[in-house]
RNA sequence: GCCGACGUAGCUCAACGGUAGAGCAGCUGAUUCGUAAUCAGCAGGUUGCCGGUUCAAUCCCGGCCGUCGGCUCCA
């Protein structure tokens, strides 16, 4: 190509290739570029469209700019800060005297629509940092951002009259932004720093098509319907009570049934897996936490101490020191190891009031905790077994999709490099031996050891971090937990700290949303409703209820003077897996007419036959 | 903890500077009914708590408690 010719832009190349309508940017040698940039001489480009993950990210980012443009027109006094693309959409933070109201959002969205319809070009220019400084009068946040940019050249983007400092890239014109919706406002600290000024953030979602946007809004509706706080109230499972205190959970009888079943299952399986159950008190001398190191590292998450007869006591934020003391209560031989102590231990942690959230974030909760004391040579096998056990437990609760993370040594760490290397290798080996895909989170381990975190995925594909397996070099050291080896000398034990469900409260909340309140049979608080059609069948219905209960099922009778449809509806709304209809016909035949929760009707059958169906369903993690 | 919104009957929600209303649930009665709501009547609230402004506050203002959306935090 001769130098006299005007170099062709990517946009022009896109036109030639018939891609101008769909392309929002181009990928050239791994760099994502605006279409206004020159096309490469060899002409090798990959066009990015809103259907590409990278393409939609650009659209989302540009939508944030369009929104900022609308905000600056309607609220010229608003100071602009940053506005990135995020999952499903974007946000933009503004510094305004009074935060935006929902009505403001409506006006902003309307103005955005006008900008989109006008299809204004979004232009890019490169200027020196000094020049850029002159271009943002009265925008202190932009000045601050500029000052922090190491390069001498920066890029500016313009939509209509709205100029923003931005790395880009952006879509070529505002008309390419289409399916979006402003969602809500929120406070957010400048640069995420709680010491800095609180800004007003506007969240929006944006998609490639209206259809995807609608699907996303439908998903949000579904999430709302499954909200464990709403279901907890509707199904009478639990409550939080202002008079008791924020973040403290009351388990109602039906919720308590589910919890008891979860606990029973947990205890049985742990006993089978070679764990010993222990119990420990809710408070202990403050000094214990000084020894464990929690006081130094995590004091801000602990409740204040309680003075008793001149001694400070502390509500426990963890169970580990207790288990260590049990371990230390006598001499341990290498033959005794591994020692596995498990406890459903209730702990109390101070969480800032603004972070509390139903069952998912509370101040008092029960960990399905265990501490394993091992010899170094047992680490590999133990972790492998533990991983297997964890996945088995999760599967029982209907979770068979997960993301696994291996967190390695952070900058600030306790223990020896040699131990860290061994522990990380053991964790890695176990994951690979189980053929589990995982991601490494470098430096994200706890100061006392590396860990495996398992994030389960629920029915809606949302991730929840519940299980954690942590190697701990710190506590055996601090508490001097040892065993006598074959050589007769004392050796330092290695500890594994692990929780499978994490917190029972939280796991129950996740389960509730996972199943949308429709618990599988084995967990359902009420498994069978027996419904009499008229009062003529009450005696027979009572008999059925008694028989079911005698067989170990959780059955309730509804003998009220109501129509069948009314009772069915109530049973359905309460998400009871089975309703047994008992009318004159059934009574005469000594049969029941089962109806499944979803509406499916089974043929009338003998009670014994129905119980066989129940038994066949008891070990199913989903229904 | 920070920013914003909210707090009215058991639940879901309405109304208003002049001491509040509906539906569902509850209770009573009638109805005896076949797979998602039978009808009628009755009862139910110091409008989260404390203080202030006002002739008068549930409504306006302040503080506290709690809830919600975020931020921060999360051993």
């Amino acid at each position: 190509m001769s130098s006299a010719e005007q170099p062709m832009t990517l946009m022009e190349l896109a036109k030639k290739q018939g891609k101008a309508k769909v392309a929002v940017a181009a990928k050239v040698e791994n760099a994502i570029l605006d279409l206004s940039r020159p096309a490469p001489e060899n002409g090798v480009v990959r066009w990015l469209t809103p259907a590409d993950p990278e393409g939609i990210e650009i659209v989302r980012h540009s939508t944030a700019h369009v929104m900022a443009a609308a905000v600056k027109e309607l609220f010229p006094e608003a100071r602009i800060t940053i506005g990135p693309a995020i999952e499903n959409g974007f946000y933009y933070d503004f510094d305004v005297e009074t935060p935006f109201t929902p009505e403001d959002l409506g006006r902003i969205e309307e103005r955005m629509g006008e900008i989109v319809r006008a299809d204004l070009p979004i232009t890019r220019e490169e200027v020196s940092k000094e020049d850029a400084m002159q271009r943002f009068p009265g925008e202190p946040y932009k000045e601050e951002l500029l000052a922090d940019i190491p390069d001498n050249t920066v890029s500016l983007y313009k939509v209509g009259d709205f100029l923003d400092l931005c790395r880009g890239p952006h879509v070529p014109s505002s008309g390419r932004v289409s399916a979006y919706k402003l969602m809500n406002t929120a406070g957010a600290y400048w640069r995420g720093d709680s010491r800095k000024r609180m800004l007003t953030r506007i969240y929006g979602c944006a998609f490639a098509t209206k259809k995807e946007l609608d699907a996303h809004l439908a998903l949000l509706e579904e999430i709302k319907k499954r909200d464990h706080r709403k279901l907890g109230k509707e199904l009478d499972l639990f409550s939080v009570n202002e008079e008791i205190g924020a973040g403290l959970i009351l388990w109602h009888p039906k919720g308590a049934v589910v919890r008891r079943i979860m606990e029973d299952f947990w205890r049985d399986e742990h006993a089978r897996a070679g764990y010993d159950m222990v119990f420990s008190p809710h408070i202990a001398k403050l000094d214990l936490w000084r020894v464990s190191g929690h006081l130094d590292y995590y004091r801000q998450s602990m409740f204040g101490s309680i003075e008793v007869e001149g001694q400070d006591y502390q509500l426990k934020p963890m169970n580990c020191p207790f288990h260590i003391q049990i371990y230390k209560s006598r001499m341990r031989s290498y033959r005794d190891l591994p020692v596995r102590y498990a406890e459903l231990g209730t702990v109390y942690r101070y969480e800032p009031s603004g972070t509390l959230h139903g069952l998912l974030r509370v101040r008092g909760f029960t960990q399905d905790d265990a501490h394993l004391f091992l010899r170094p040579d047992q680490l590999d096998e133990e972790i492998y077994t533990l991983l297997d056990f964890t996945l088995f437990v999760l599967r029982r609760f209907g979770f068979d999709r997960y993301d696994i993370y291996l967190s390695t040594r952070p900058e600030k760490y306790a223990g020896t490099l040699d131990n860290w290397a061994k522990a990380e290798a053991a964790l890695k080996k176990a994951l690979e031996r189980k053929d589990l895909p995982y991601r490494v989170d470098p430096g994200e381990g706890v100061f006392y050891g590396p860990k495996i975190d398992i994030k389960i995925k629920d029915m809606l594909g949302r991730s929840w971090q519940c299980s954690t397996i942590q190697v701990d070099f710190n506590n055996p050291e601090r508490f001097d937990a040892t065993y006598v080896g074959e050589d007769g000398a004392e050796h330092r034990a290695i500890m594994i700290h692990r929780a499978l469900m994490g917190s029972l409260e939280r796991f129950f909340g996740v389960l509730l949303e996972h199943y949308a309140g429709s618990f599988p049979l084995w967990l359902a608080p009420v498994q069978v409703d027996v419904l009499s059609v008229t009062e003529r069948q009450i005696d027979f219905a009572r008999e059925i209820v008694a028989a079911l209960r005698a067989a170990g099922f959780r059955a309730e009778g509804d003998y009220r003077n109501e129509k069948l449809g009314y009772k069915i509806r109530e049973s359905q709304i309460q998400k009871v897996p089975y309703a047994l209809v008992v009318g004159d016909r059934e009574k005469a035949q000594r049969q029941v007419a089962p109806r499944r929760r979803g509406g499916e009707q089974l043929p009338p059958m003998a009670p014994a036959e129905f119980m066989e169906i129940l038994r066949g369903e008891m070990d199913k993690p989903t229904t």
Side-chain angles (χ1 to χ4, degrees), chain A residues 480-529:
Chain A
D480 192 26
T482 59
Y483 63 92
V484 179
E486 242 173 318
D487 55 2
E490 282 205 346
H491 299 271
R492 180 85 63 222
I494 295 182
M495 228 174 108
I496 295 176
H497 172 120
R498 45 111 285 189
L500 312 186
M501 299 186 267
S503 135
L504 287 184
E505 282 74 5
R506 186 177 138 88
F507 195 76
F508 178 68
V510 171
L511 265 186
L512 197 46
E513 302 209 355
H514 180 58
Y515 290 125
S518 292
F519 287 110
L521 192 70
W522 77 293
L523 286 172
V526 178
Q527 297 170 311
V528 185
D529 272 332

Side-chain angles (χ1 to χ4, degrees), chain A residues 200-442:
Chain A
T200 300
R201 174 171 298 180
I202 302 178
Y203 280 99
C205 54
F207 291 88
T209 61
K210 176 84 166 50
K211 208 175 144 191
E212 285 172 65
L213 173 66
D214 289 344
H216 181 250
L217 295 177
L219 176 69
L220 292 182
E221 280 306 306
E222 181 60 32
I223 288 171
K224 230 181 190 173
K225 261 196 273 174
R226 285 172 179 249
D227 191 313
H228 72 281
R229 295 164 299 187
K230 183 170 171 276
L231 289 168
K233 199 179 276 181
E234 287 170 2
L235 305 179
D236 197 16
L237 300 170
F238 70 91
S239 61
V240 281
N241 182 321
E242 185 174 340
E243 295 179 40
I244 285 167
L248 303 169
I249 305 302
L250 293 173
W251 292 74
H252 296 201
K254 283 182 181 166
V257 167
V258 183
R259 172 165 170 171
R260 198 206 75 228
I261 293 164
M262 289 164 67
E263 290 185 354
D264 287 350
F265 166 73
W266 187 90
R267 281 196 197 94
D268 291 349
E269 293 304 333
H270 277 71
R272 213 190 298 266
Y275 287 77
D276 297 315
M277 294 295 145
V278 297
F279 293 98
S280 60
H282 287 218
I283 63 171
K285 285 187 183 170
L286 185 60
D287 222 42
L288 194 62
W289 311 106
R290 200 166 276 134
V291 174
S292 72
H294 290 114
L295 208 52
D296 301 334
Y297 284 86
Y298 310 109
R299 177 172 234 149
Q300 82 281 0
S301 297
M302 289 162 60
F303 278 101
S305 58
I306 305 158
E307 207 216 270
V308 182
E309 295 178 341
Q311 296 259 16
D312 285 333
Y313 281 75
Q314 176 63 45
L315 212 44
K316 69 170 168 182
M318 310 206 94
N319 303 304
C320 29
F322 298 94
H323 295 184
I324 297 170
Q325 295 298 348
I326 297 172
Y327 176 85
K328 282 185 47 168
S329 64
R330 63 177 174 84
M331 289 279 271
R332 302 291 170 177
S333 152
Y334 70 98
R335 294 180 223 264
D336 298 334
L337 270 44
V339 165
R340 306 183 186 91
Y341 291 146
E343 177 179 14
L344 293 165
T346 304
V347 296
Y348 297 89
R349 299 179 183 179
Y350 167 74
E351 303 284 356
S353 58
T355 64
L356 300 173
H357 182 92
L359 295 174
L360 302 182
R361 194 67 186 271
V362 295
R363 284 179 175 162
F365 61 94
T366 304
Q367 285 185 312
D368 66 321
D369 213 354
H371 295 93
L372 322 187
F373 300 85
L374 318 167
R375 303 190 307 257
D377 64 279
Q378 292 172 319
L379 195 58
D380 282 10
E381 192 58 29
E382 192 64 24
I383 287 171
Y384 178 77
T385 312
L386 187 48
L387 204 51
D388 219 22
F389 185 54
T390 306
L391 298 183
F392 159 75
V393 169
L394 294 177
R395 217 173 302 125
R396 187 78 180 97
F397 290 103
F399 298 108
D400 42 23
R401 292 186 299 156
Y402 22 73
D403 291 321
I404 303 180
Y405 296 84
L406 171 64
S407 300
T408 57
R409 181 166 49 83
E411 280 180 35
K412 223 179 135 189
Y413 64 94
T416 64
L417 279 173
D418 184 45
N419 274 341
W420 273 90
K422 273 188 196 144
E424 287 180 11
L427 293 176
K428 215 168 146 179
K429 216 192 274 176
L431 287 167
E432 275 156 18
R433 192 168 145 205
K434 280 236 39 126
D435 211 12
L436 289 165
Y438 65 94
R439 285 208 349 231
V440 177
D441 257 350

Side-chain angles (χ1 to χ4, degrees), chain A residues 563-583:
Chain A
K563 287 169 120 171
L564 180 61
Y566 181 90
K567 298 182 184 182
I568 294 266
R569 177 183 149 82
E570 206 147 277
S571 178
Q572 172 85 33
I573 287 173
Q574 286 298 306
K575 303 178 192 285
V576 176
Y578 285 94
L580 295 187
V581 173
V582 175

